[in-house]
Amino acid sequence: MTMMLTDLPMAIQRSDFAGDFVWGVSTSSYQIEGAAAVDGRVPSIWDTFAATPGKVRDGSTGAVACDHYHRWEEDLDLAQSMGLNAYRFSIAWPRIFNGVDAEPNAKGLAFYSRLVDGMLARGLQPWCTLYHWDLPQYIQDQGGWNNRATVDLYLRYADVMTRHLGDRVKHWITHNEPWCTAMHGNWDGMHAPGNKSLPLALQVCHNVLLSHGRAVPLIRANVPDAKVGIALSLHPVMPASDSATDRAAVSRHDALRNRWFLDVLYGRGYPAQALALVGADAPVVEPGDLEAIAVPCDFLGVNYYFPEVVRDAPDEYPLRAQIVFPPDRQRTDFGWEVAPDGMVTLLERVARDYPTGDLYVTENGSSYDDHLEDGLVRDTARRDYLIRHLAAVRDAIAGGGRIKGYFAWSLLDNFEWAEGYLRRFGLTYIDYETQRRIVKQSGEWYSAFLRGA
Ligand code: FCB
């Protein structure tokens, strides 16, 4: 299905949003930095995983990626020239600590200090994610997030980073998408470290959420004026048909996919429906854990890409539900459904059902097979995706969504995890041979929009 330009909400403009609305782009350390062995960085679980044959589709790694570690000034210039007022980045834990008992690495600290100063100099509000999946390998060697001791290592890391940057960074995100850390990393094994065990994944998930809950007071103590939150990957869940069985499958899927995170973060514990389904695979929860996880935050980050459509599937453990891909949907070249309405539904639901404080769309974007032709990347499909999703944010605000900002994924094409460099999500094209950056048509559009055109 092709969108006609006439179907687009072309009337959208920046002035439809509050004057203090946060306009950003998101990136993450392993996906863009490269410089894997520079200035004392040690391997992360993604270096190990990507080096394992068969794990990343094009056999690539993040060893060089966008070489952002050396080209960050040019990249921040790009963000500034787009007219953005915020920039979301993550810190590579393996640049900061090279061993369990090690002292912080001065060169790693200095890099992020320069980066943050560079943002501030360009009028970009820094939004720092502490953990975007690049766990140091030496921690994985001791059990990784399955080991409760990792929570303490994370707290030490969070303490060092917030002391180091807290005079300049006021927006802190403890974790990016705990679902992916836990489930892709340890249940379906599509991501590092590549385990395939539901009980392991659920324990990892619990420990990650616990580390979030315990980090929040520590961040506040170090940065009294900090705004602290977490970024979740959430999906509206739709039934494959109107049948009662498919609708019941939606509820089961939603219990683990969304409520498993939202309920526990907002003080309701893990959903009884999901606990009943996973039975003995449920995580070990120690006294006080649930109270710690439910610590009040200033905001919730929502990463929205697509809805999930599910059908009743009695043989599927544990949810008795299965994701299906209806053929009649508009999709990106990655196969992800293009559904801006789903974002409206999702944001309104989260705002209605949970006391999240402010909401931010901390990621949203699309992957298409871009081509550089005559020096231009004419990515009209990505531009249209962006326009329609910004209109969805506007509609969700009108529907009570209290959304205060939007971060496009991503500033640059980058290392897309198990897909390597096969998927391009950037508003800027990377010619990986030369590391040349070329702003795509979508990036030009975002920039014109932000300038009030
Ligand atoms: C999200 C991740 C981000 C990026 C996008 C496409 O799940 O947080 O790193 O890979 O998907």
Side-chain angles (χ1 to χ4, degrees), residues 28 31 88 132-133 176-177 180 233 303 305 334 336 363 409 414-417 425:
S28 92
Q31 292 180 277
R88 176 173 172 237
H132 199 128
W133 310 352
N176 180 68
E177 302 189 350
C180 293
S233 49
N303 293 358
Y305 289 93
F334 200 165
W336 294 5
E363 286 182 28
W409 183 270
N414 58 52
F415 177 78
E416 177 47 34
W417 309 114
F425 275 92

Side-chain angles (χ1 to χ4, degrees), residues 31-32 64-68 71 74-75 78 370 372 377 411-415 421 424 426-440:
Q31 292 180 277
I32 64 170
V64 176
C66 308
D67 195 30
H68 172 78
R71 297 168 193 264
E74 180 183 355
D75 295 338
L78 274 173
D370 301 312
L372 181 61
V377 180
L411 175 65
L412 311 170
D413 292 336
N414 58 52
F415 177 78
Y421 298 98
R424 293 179 178 271
L427 298 174
T428 307
Y429 183 90
I430 301 281
D431 176 358
Y432 290 106
E433 299 282 305
T434 62
Q435 288 292 350
R436 199 154 71 89
R437 277 91 166 118
I438 299 115
V439 177
K440 301 178 193 176

